[in-house]
Structure formats: C-alpha cells, structure tokens
Amino acid sequence: MLNYIIRRLFYAIPILIGVNLITFTLFFVVNTPDDMARMQLGIKRVTPEAIGRWKQERGYDKPLMFNNAEQGWAKLTRTVFFEKSIAMFAFRFGRADDGRDIAHEIKKRMMPSLSIALPVFVLGLGVYIVFALTMVFFRATYVDFWGVVLCVALMSISSLFYIIGGQFLISKLWHLVPISGYGYGVDATKFLILPVIIGVVSGAGGNTRWYRTIFLEEMSKDYVRTARAKGLSENVVLFGHVLRNALIPILTGTVVVIPLLFLGSLIAESFFGIPGLGSYTIDAINSQDFAVVRAMVFLGSLLYIVGLILTDISYTLVDPRIRLE
Amino acid sequence: MKAVLTERLNKSPAGPAAGAAAMWGSGMSQSREKRWCGRSVLCNLILKLSTWKAGARKPGGVPNGGSGTIRAGWRSVRRQRGRSGKLFSISPFNFKHLAAPRGISRRAVQGRVGPVFLKYLPALMVMLVSACGGNPWNSPYPAADAEKNILYSAFAERPKHLDPVQSYSSNEILFTAQIYEPPLQYHYLKRPYELIPSAAAKMPVVQYFDQNGEQLKDDVDPAQIAYTVYEISIKPGIRYQPHPAFARNEGGEFFYHALEAKDLAGVHKLSDFPHSGSRELTAQDYVFQVKRLAHPKLHSPIFSLMSDYIVGLKEYSATLQAAAGQSGLSDKDAYLDLNSFPLEGAQVVDTHTYRIKIKGKYPQFMYWLAMPFFAPIPWEAERFYTQPGLAEKNITLDWYPVGTGPYMLTENDPNRVMILERNPNFHGETYPTEGMPDDEEAGLLKDAGKPLPFVEKVVFSRDKESIPRWNKFLQGYYDASGIGSDSFDQAVQLTGQGEATVTEAMKQQGIRLETAVAASTNYMGFNMLDPVVGGVGKQGRVAARKLRQAISIAVDYEEYVSIFANGRGIPAQGPIPPGIAGHREGKEGINPVVYDWVNGRARRKPIEAAKTLMAEAGYPNGMDARTGAPLVLYFDVTARGAEDKSSLDWMRKQFQKLNIQLVVRSTDYNRFQDKIRKGNAQIFEWGWNADYPDAENFLFLLHGPQQKTGSEGENAANYSNSEYDRLFEQMKNMENGPERQHIIDRMVNILRRDAPWLWGYHPKDYGLYHAWYSNVEPNRLSHNNMKYYRIDGSLRAQKRREWNEPVLGPITLVVVVLLASLIPAVVVYRRRERSAGISNSGIQPLLPSPAHRE
C-alpha cells in the first residue's frame, strides 16, 4: 500500500504543475501585471513610475512565460511563471499583493472554515443516510413518496435562497440566532447554528436521493433476498447488510471532500460573515490578487489529490477484496 | 468521580442562568424560572445521563436515573453481545436493541430517554443560543457589552493599508482618521467647509519667497513667488497611544528594538508584547512622515503630486532608492533610517515647530495638511516594525497604526472585526461651540465645550453582504446604516413637498434620516480624441460640439436620478458640486446650454432644441447629412450585471430621442481602464470624489496637460482648450474671493459650451440613525468624526430587547408537525417488525466489534 501511495503522490506533481499553468494562463489572460498594480495602488493618481516600481518589487516586471532576453534555461526560469510557481511547491506562498503573509492568513482562516464545514459534513452525512434509509425502509409507501417529493423540492431551490430565507425566518422573524458574524471558541456556537442548519438542509435533497438510489440498487441484489429468506427483519437487512455494501459508492463521494473542508464555502462564508478561506478566495478574486488566488487553487488541487488517495485507502478498509498494490 | 462532579454542579447556584429566565418576562413564576434556569437544567441532565450510564455498565444493574447516553448504551451492549455471540446492528430505529442489556427493559429506556430529552430540549436551545444575562438570543455581541458606551458599525471591504502614507480609500480612512492626527482638520459643523487646527496649535503661518530667498508680501503676484513656506506649530504635551515601540527598560533602552527569533516565539499579534510606552509628539515626527512619502518601498499615491511641489522630494526619493540599493535592502521591510537623510522641503525648527517648503504658490496645500498623508509617524514605530520576523506575523505599521488621535486600534482582525478604543493619552479636545444657525435647534450643540471623545469603543464588524447588514441595523445591532436600493422603499418616503423622510415603520423604531450632497460628481464623458464626438478640424470640432450639446439636452438626468438613484442626487449644472467653493446656486448657476430659468427654477430645454443642434451638427434626424447613414455612437461601460440592464436600456432610449443608435460596449474594469488610457473609448461613465473642498480639485479633471491619453493624468475626456488651461493656471494659485470666483465662472462657462461631459449628477448620501445615536452631522470631507458621536447605551439595550424577543411558536409547531408525521411511520414499522420471523441472530454487525475482531 505504501508503494501505491508514494506512486500516487508522484503522479500528483504533473497534475499540480498543470493546474498551476492553467491558473496562471487564465489569470493573466484577464489581468496584466499592470492591471494588478493599478488595482493595488488605487484608482486615483497612479503614475506609470509607481506601476513600474510596484511590478519590480513584486517580480512582475519579467516576461510571463518566456524570457527572450536571457540565455539557455534562464529563458524559462527567469519568468514570472517559473519564479512564482517554484516557491509554491516548497509551500512558500509568499505575500499577498497588499503585503500580508499568505501562509499566516491561511492558518488563521482554516479553523473558521472548518468550524462550519465539518459539522455540516458530519451531520449532513448522518441525516442524509438516515433519511435515505428511512425512505428505502418505507419504500412504496407515502413516506417514500413524500420523501422523494420533498427531496426534489429541496433540490430545486437555489442555495442562496436557503441562506437568505434562513436568515429571514430564523434570525429576523424569530430572533433565535444572530444573522451573521463569528466568534472564537464557545462564542462561535451561536453563530454556527444557522449556517450549519442551512448547510445540512440545502444539501439534503440531492444527497438523500443519491443515497436512496444506491440503497435501492443494493436492495435488488441476491444477498438481500437470501437474508430475507432467512427471516431477518427488515431493519437488520437494511442496516446490517445493505448499508455496509453500499459504503463503497458513499465513500467515493464523501472521503474525497474531507480534505477540502478546510477550504470553506465561497457564498455561505460571505453571507454569514465567517472569516474563512472561502471568503479569502472571493476577496482575492475581487481584488485581482494573483498571489492569493494561485495559492488557494494550488492548495485546493493538492487537497483534492489527497482526498482521492484517502478514498482509495478507505476502500480497503470497508471492502477486504480491495488491495492497493 | 462523575457522580461527585454532578452533585457539585447540581448544588451550584443558578445565578448566571437568571438572564435566560428573565427573557421570559417578569411575570414568570418562581418555579418556572427555576425550570428554565440553564445551569440547573444542565445539572439535572448530566446527573440523569451519568447515572444511567453507570447503571448500564453494571451487568444486571438497574439504572437509577432511568435515562442514558446512547453511546454508552451501544458500547456496553456490543460488549455483552460480543461475548455471548449475539450481535445486533446499529440503527436509529433500533432503540429496543439499544435498550437490550440485561436489567434494562426496552420500555424503561424508551419511556425515559424520550420525555427527558424532549422536556429539556428547549432549555438546551436556550443554553446554546443565549449567553445568560438578558442579552437577546440573536445578539452577535457579548452580553456584558449590552449597555456599554460602544458604537457598533459595519464594514464591507477589508482595508488594504492603514499606513497613512499609503492609505487613500474611504474604507481605510475610516480607521486612520480616528487614529492619526494631521496638523489640520475640518470644522465639524460649519459649512462651507472650514479648516481649523487639529494637532497644530494655530493655523500654519504662510510665507512667500522669491527666487533669491527674499520674503514677499501676501498679496504679491503669484508669478513672482518662487517658494512658499508653511510653518506649523503643534500643541505641546500631545502624547502617543501606548505602544511597544516606545517601551523602554529601566536603563532607558528600548525593550523591543533588537528582537530576535526567540523573542517572537509566542508573539502572534501586537498585544502579545507585554510592555508598552509612550512619548510626546514632536515636530520631528511630522517631518519624518513627509520624508516617508518618498520612501522607495512604500508607494505613496500622492508622491508624484507632492514631488512636483515639495522642494527636493523627487531627488530625495532617488537618494533613498540609491541608499536602499547600496545597503542591499532587498527586503521590503528592511529599515531605512530617514532621519539620517535630510530633506530640504521639510525641516524641523524646534521641538514643536516644523516647516514645509513648496515650489511656487499652491494654496490647496493647506487642505492636504488635513489628510492622514501628513500625520506624524514616530521613527521608533518604523524601527520596531521593520525588524525581521514581524512581517511574517503580519505585524507591520500598515496593519497596526501608532497615533495620537482619540482612538487606537486594539483589535485588528479585518476578516471579522476591527475595534477602536479610546486612546488613554488623548489630549483634551472639546466639542465645537459654534456651528450653523439651525444646529442649535437640531441639538447638535448640546455637547458644546465638552471633552472628546464621547464613545469609549467603536466595534466595526465585517458584513460583506447588504442583506445581513440591513437586517442587523433594523434589529438594533448596528447604530447607523446606509440605504441600499432594495431597502429604499422600506426606509424612505417622499412628502408632498418632495422631501425625503423615513417611513412610518422606521419612525416607530425611532430611526431618523440624515441627508447630505456628497462632494462628488458622476458624469458621462466624451472622448475628445474621437473623430465623431470630439471632431476633426475646425469645422468638425464645431459640429461635434453641437452634437455633444444636443446629447446633453436629450439625456434627462432628472429622470435618471428619480428612477435609478431613488431621487438621491442633484442633476449637475457643471463640474463643481454644491458646498465646494466656486459652486453657484440659482439662476447664475444653471447651465444655459441645457437649461432655461423658468418660474424660479431650472427647466431642461425641450428636445426640439436638441434636434435643431443635431441638424446644425450635420445629423438631421440622427442621419449623417453627407452619407445618409444613421449616427451610431458607442457607450463604453464596465461589465454590468442584470440589474444594470434597465439603466443601459434607459440610456439607449435617451439617445433614441435624437434618433441616435447607442451601442453599449461592455467590458471588464481592467479593459475599460485600458481603453480610457489609450483613448479608444467614445462615450464613458466615470466619477470623482473630492480630495478637498476647492474648485481646483474638480476643474483640474479637464485641464489639458492632465490628459489621460499620453500624460496618464486624470483628464479622462482628453479635453483641451487653451483659454481654459490658461485660466486654470491663473485660478489654481489664487485665494478664494470674488476675483477667483469670476475666473471660475468663466472656466465653467467654457466647459458648459464645449460640453466635454454630460455633467451628470451629484449624488446625495442618505444615512439612517437610531434614536440612541446623536451628534451626527454628515460631513463628507472630514473623516475623523467618531470623536463627536454620542451613544445612549441603556436606551439601545432596552430597544434591542424589545425588538428581539425570541419567537418560539413557529419552530415548536414545525417540530410537532414533524413528530406527528412520524407516528403512522412508527406504526407501520412496528407492524413489520412483528411480522418478521426472527431477528438478531447470526447477522454480522455493521462494524466489527472489538470482541468480533479478536
């Protein structure tokens, strides 16, 4: 298994280079280093000299991908792309365009993101599986029918509506929790209740239907018929056999997102005033801060790759037939 | 052990929970209060849970409390089943299995877990969402702060720079203006805006000199003036806020000026340095800041402008650049000792006096002295912050300001909250004793002569989205709010006289509206380099001018303001907004190209007048007279969302009045700026916020040498008129007075005739304030206003409680409906369970139990 993991980690390197290249290209198609300098230096009274100095100081004065003025390898290495990318593979994210240390910001913002994403993930998983199993248990009854109707209804509503509607009902009309904000430690609890509820509810429709489909497929397998023939009660069949055998598709969808929980949610964090990494990314995009955007995309891809490896490992844990070689 | 703990908890007084009880109303009975008391509820619950757990673990034992934790139940059950070889699966519906350990009947657990849990569910909710102490559940602030003298505000965008040499945005100056004290400030109440001393002891003494250094009289011809010297005396005894940069040990050495990596091990923010100190403000600190304008690593936005005026500043920048290069200061934060490099244009006279020497005459320089760019920076701060290792922890001068102003930044978490607290060393400034005639009646002089500031602490919370911000304002959690177009109708109504006032609902909440015309202008510019709208050749320019005039008449800004700005704006008659010296009101102030003066008010000329001008311009009925082709013009805008589609459609219709086809060219902001810079745009929208209240700050936007294309100036229309440029040079050096006004009038008339802009409108700012918020006089130019504001904390706490009583009915109903809907399902489940032949035998569990793995 160790060999497998090492091999997978090596595969990650070209993927990360590719992601970095695409991010770089896309970003600089839209923004030139001059645009970035203007954005940072302000709208009023920006002189070409100030722009030149800003670019020089931050290393954006070199050619983007290919430096004709240099010789040999330096044609490739003395470029914005190479110099900015190589540091990232050493996890040196550098400074944001406003001069702040990106690694420091990421560390600081990780916990707020996680404090929403983790409860939503754990609670959500529990609720969706229970809900799905309930529908399967009561399949072809009114519970199943109305459950599916409810799921379809929940799926049809935009996540933004859940946020605004939730804030309106629970915070504005019923005055139960704060509309937005964040605190550290125990103080965070009252701010997290609403986003977590909304996070779980907004994902309920799609996920529950997905799990229900998986369970129903399992239900048609022979071993289920055998179990029933033995006279087992329905809940034993469901929770003892079906759930366990349905774990592979469930893990495929869930384990991969676990590392990404650190990155937070773009919309929810903005609406709830959560100072997490999601809102950091949005701010960086709005202020054309390439250093931050690049760092966050890099981190996202890296965590995704880690998630995929974890998924593979998790298969071996739940299914003894699978071996990683 | 657990039992002892629970017992202790159970005996502890229920004090802190009293607040939660108080929320249920004063008429509540003692017993009910007790029942709702958070701590006793918690204690009972813990007792019951732990006793059940203990019982469940003891084979054969009967639990005393009767209820139990599901986890504990599972664990013990699995262990027992594992031993006996009888295993069961985990199921949320499987409570009978959970309750299967010997000695505990299923009915006993079902009968106890459920009711106990339900009974205490609301109490648990209370505990979770409410910090005891009478604070509303939805309050985002700590209960202890409920009645305190704190001002609550919001900010949407995090500030990029808090170093006064760099900061130039309104969202940054909101903070820096409260912390730093430039020598001058604007009078809070008087209009037109008047400069008064801030840290300065008196207004600067201005002296003029000729090329030979001879002093000239004040009324001398500006052309003779080679240099102007501003001598500024500051008040003695002003002290800096407490800061670690000033901290010294007993031997007088600085504590933190030679930090090493090990000293920074436990330091994450500025307050982690245990020692702090202060010292008196000196003239040297102001000179130090003037030098910082030229610092090669700081990129001051006004360096370019100031280097044209302050003697030697440009050369000083080169000197510093060379010094930084020589000493190998590649690191952005390396320390460059500016005190060892003298600057001719800024010199210390004595401890409390300094001089700034500028080239020629530039009366507007006085206004710059009221901006944070000219606030003092102590060299100790620069020395402290440039030590290695601090920047990696984001401890920089750009992040943690050091000032002498009424407030100091005590918490800087711009992702969440920024807190200003009263500077304990603030010198004794008092509330103004005079203002405008109606200020007395408006209650703005009630605090006359009282020491500032009134508010102890200002909490700025970050709320990026307008909906949460608005709702929190309505709930009383923000003390003031702007008005978004979504909430405009909810907040504001127009009286019969067309005056804006708050709606009935707002009035009932005690909310009041304050309006002020902003010192800014939103205009639509023509690119004068464009052959169609700018013209080529003498005749072509005349024709293009008539075309622009015709469009000026056709685009009805009265309608625009009414539809798209909810009436929050004044159609402009020229570039200078009201309240700025040089602006004219009434008949004298109208733009005769676009308006007629009828019955005491300006009336837009009829569209026929525009059509006539179009014909004269060579476009009768919107057709090019030479080619017969319809006239097509291009409107360059930054990428707009769906919400702006209507305003663009409206704009097309305005041009359609003259049969002109308007094509909207939408692009992102970068490309838009690029087009403007290269002169590729034809018609565009832009705006300008005043730096200072002088006509020069608006008229320079159309000064020929300031053209955007070619000169990278601020004249985006690339307008050039030699007569105008000559008058501008003459006007800019004059003191305000009738003669200057006469020149300004001439310049504005040239502009009106040439119509390089559609003058657009001057936006009006609307602000809503709660009843507990007083001393508010909108002041669009000065930003150091926090010190004047007053908050009635107890009224606010009372109103917040009134407005935010928790409503439990609907949520209870939802829970009841959900539970009720489950009943038939439970019935079906039981029926099926009963119909199943066998259960719980020979089945593998979901996860192997420890026993099974063995």
Side-chain angles (χ1 to χ4, degrees), chain B residues 601-622:
Chain B
R601 55 190 301 179
R603 193 183 66 186
R604 189 170 283 273
K605 284 184 192 289
I607 195 70
E608 285 68 32
K611 286 181 175 166
T612 309
L613 282 167
M614 283 288 287
E616 289 171 14
Y619 301 104
N621 199 26

Side-chain angles (χ1 to χ4, degrees), chain A residues 29-32 34-36 38-51 53-58 95-102 104-105 108-109 130 133-134 136-139 141-143 164 167-168 170-184 186-187 189-191 193 227 230-237 239-241 243-244 247 266-267 269-276 278-280 282-283 287-288, chain B residues 89-94 97 125 128-129 135 137-142 158-162 168 268 295-297 299 301-305 317 321 331-333 368 391-394 398-399 412-413 415-416 462-465 467-468 471-472 474-475 490 668-671 673 677 686 688-692 697 700 712 714 803-808 810-811 814 821 824-826 828-829 832-833 836-846 848:
Chain A
V29 162
V30 183
N31 309 289
T32 63
D34 282 43
D35 296 330
M36 292 164 65
R38 267 191 203 92
M39 196 72 167
Q40 291 305 316
L41 294 172
I43 294 161
K44 280 177 167 182
R45 304 178 195 275
V46 182
T47 59
E49 297 82 50
I51 291 171
R53 277 213 311 270
W54 186 92
K55 281 172 22 188
Q56 189 191 4
E57 194 181 296
R58 284 168 172 74
R95 303 242 184 125
D97 287 343
D98 60 6
R100 315 241 145 92
D101 193 70
I102 296 175
H104 183 269
E105 283 282 310
K108 204 170 168 194
R109 286 167 171 267
V130 168
L133 281 172
T134 312
V136 171
F137 185 87
F138 293 107
R139 66 196 166 280
T141 66
Y142 82 98
V143 176
I164 296 172
Q167 285 182 331
F168 179 78
I170 298 178
S171 300
K172 193 180 175 195
L173 284 190
W174 300 341
H175 308 140
L176 298 178
V177 288
I179 290 177
S180 65
Y182 189 75
Y184 291 102
V186 184
D187 276 354
T189 320
K190 65 179 173 182
F191 296 108
I193 292 172
K230 286 200 297 184
L232 294 184
S233 67
E234 192 66 9
N235 67 323
V236 176
V237 172
F239 294 98
H241 292 268
L243 180 56
R244 187 167 188 196
L247 273 180
L266 301 182
I267 299 176
E269 286 184 9
S270 287
F271 267 84
F272 290 109
I274 309 287
S279 56
Y280 190 44
I282 287 279
D283 286 351
S287 62
Q288 298 179 8
Chain B
S89 60
I90 298 170
S91 156
F93 308 105
N94 217 0
H97 299 301
M125 283 176 63
L128 279 174
V129 297
N135 213 23
W137 293 13
N138 62 354
S139 171
Y141 311 121
R158 63 189 234 145
K160 279 185 200 157
H161 301 291
L162 294 177
Y168 203 3
H268 301 289
H295 197 296
K297 307 288 182 193
H299 308 295
I302 65 161
F303 167 71
S304 168
L305 177 78
S317 168
Q321 191 94 43
D331 184 4
K332 181 182 183 307
D333 305 303
W368 288 104
E392 282 69 34
K393 293 168 185 279
N394 284 346
D398 207 17
W399 203 238
N412 185 359
D413 182 359
N415 310 324
R416 187 179 71 90
R462 185 153 191 220
D463 248 323
K464 287 205 267 187
E465 300 297 331
I467 297 173
N471 286 328
K472 276 158 100 173
L474 292 181
Q475 291 177 335
Q490 191 189 345
D668 63 82
Y669 188 62
N670 291 335
R671 297 285 77 73
Q673 278 191 308
R677 250 192 331 274
W686 212 307
W688 182 261
N689 290 322
D691 292 311
Y692 43 81
N697 196 231
F700 94 104
E712 294 266 352
E714 296 293 343
W803 297 342
N804 295 293
E805 273 188 41
V807 181
L808 284 171
I811 206 142
V814 169
S821 67
V826 172
V828 173
Y829 165 75
R832 283 196 192 179
E833 282 295 290
I838 53 171
S839 64
N840 305 340
S841 56
I843 307 300
Q844 295 292 315
L846 175 67

Side-chain angles (χ1 to χ4, degrees), chain B residues 385-400:
Chain B
Y385 283 119
T386 46
Q387 295 177 90
L390 285 176
E392 282 69 34
K393 293 168 185 279
N394 284 346
I395 301 178
T396 63
L397 185 54
D398 207 17
W399 203 238
Y400 290 102

Side-chain angles (χ1 to χ4, degrees), chain B residues 477-620:
Chain B
Y477 297 123
Y478 290 135
D479 298 324
S481 170
I483 312 172
S485 48
D486 295 344
S487 42
F488 190 84
D489 290 341
Q490 191 189 345
V492 176
Q493 62 185 11
L494 294 176
T495 61
Q497 291 77 38
E499 211 175 291
T501 175
V502 288
T503 55
E504 207 49 48
M506 296 288 124
K507 217 177 277 175
Q508 279 179 7
Q509 278 195 280
I511 293 169
R512 66 180 193 283
L513 174 72
E514 301 278 355
T515 65
V517 180
S520 54
T521 184
N522 291 351
Y523 63 88
M524 193 179 197
F526 295 101
N527 177 15
M528 301 297 279
L529 302 179
D530 181 87
V532 180
V533 296
V536 180
K538 197 175 176 188
Q539 276 192 331
R541 278 198 287 275
V542 172
R545 186 179 71 213
K546 291 191 172 172
L547 171 66
R548 294 193 301 270
Q549 288 178 343
I551 296 170
S552 303
I553 296 170
V555 179
D556 187 347
Y557 269 99
E558 286 78 7
E559 193 176 282
Y560 182 89
V561 168
S562 148
I563 297 174
F564 299 106
N566 299 104
R568 286 177 285 180
I570 301 174
Q573 304 290 339
I576 307 171
I580 303 286
H583 173 85
R584 278 194 184 274
E585 289 287 343
K587 190 180 177 185
E588 290 172 315
I590 66 160
N591 177 3
V593 173
V594 179
Y595 292 93
D596 294 318
W597 189 256
V598 180
N599 297 330
R601 55 190 301 179
R603 193 183 66 186
R604 189 170 283 273
K605 284 184 192 289
I607 195 70
E608 285 68 32
K611 286 181 175 166
T612 309
L613 282 167
M614 283 288 287
E616 289 171 14
Y619 301 104

